[in-house]
Amino acid sequence: MERFDSIALGTYRGDGYFLVGYVEPDPNDKDGYDPKVDADNYGRSLVQKAESPLDENTEIVGMDTRHGQPHLDKEYLPPDADEEKKIWLDDDYGFYQMRDYLLENWEDYADLHIYYNE
């Protein structure tokens, strides 16, 4: 997957967060590229920025079209959680709808990540 879009969200509860968008295949011309039409797969992720450039960033929640249908992956859940990690979305859920949803709800997901993992 090719990174297509990144949005810095700032600091929340002491950690940095950003949204990243990605598409597949790699777009030749980003200006005229429409992920809904031109991408085989697309997605967005809410990411907690690593404290050090040597550490890995942490994906908290992802939304993408892999597995044949748009869905949301609750990456913040621990492996032994009693809750489903995947929520299936409507077939027409688009790249920009994913962005808007995560922009509206990212702090709630950051709080869930903190609750389950810190």
Side-chain angles (χ1 to χ4, degrees):
M1 293 283 227
E2 175 70 22
R3 181 179 274 197
F4 185 70
D5 185 20
S6 185
I7 301 169
L9 299 171
T11 302
Y12 180 70
R13 300 192 190 277
D15 293 306
Y17 293 88
F18 62 96
L19 289 182
V20 64
Y22 47 90
V23 295
E24 182 180 65
D26 180 11
N28 293 329
D29 176 19
K30 290 185 179 185
D31 290 331
Y33 192 86
D34 179 358
K36 182 91 172 155
V37 174
D38 300 323
D40 293 334
N41 291 300
Y42 56 83
R44 298 267 182 181
S45 291
L46 170 62
V47 178
Q48 181 185 44
K49 189 173 182 177
E51 291 182 24
S52 161
L54 301 176
D55 295 331
E56 295 278 327
N57 294 326
T58 302
E59 182 181 19
I60 295 172
V61 66
M63 301 176 81
D64 63 64
T65 58
R66 288 183 256 178
H67 314 298
Q69 182 177 346
H71 59 279
L72 180 140
D73 292 310
K74 300 175 186 177
E75 300 296 342
Y76 61 84
L77 286 176
D80 60 349
D82 291 336
E83 191 175 328
E84 288 292 321
K85 285 187 87 165
K86 193 176 294 298
I87 297 173
W88 296 101
L89 305 170
D90 292 334
D91 284 334
D92 62 345
Y93 212 91
F95 185 76
Y96 297 104
Q97 283 176 289
M98 292 175 181
R99 177 201 61 201
D100 294 345
Y101 176 81
L102 290 174
L103 284 172
E104 290 174 16
N105 297 287
W106 73 271
E107 290 171 329
D108 295 332
Y109 285 114
D111 286 337
L112 286 166
H113 171 72
I114 292 166
Y115 175 79
Y116 281 105
N117 296 285
E118 295 182 7

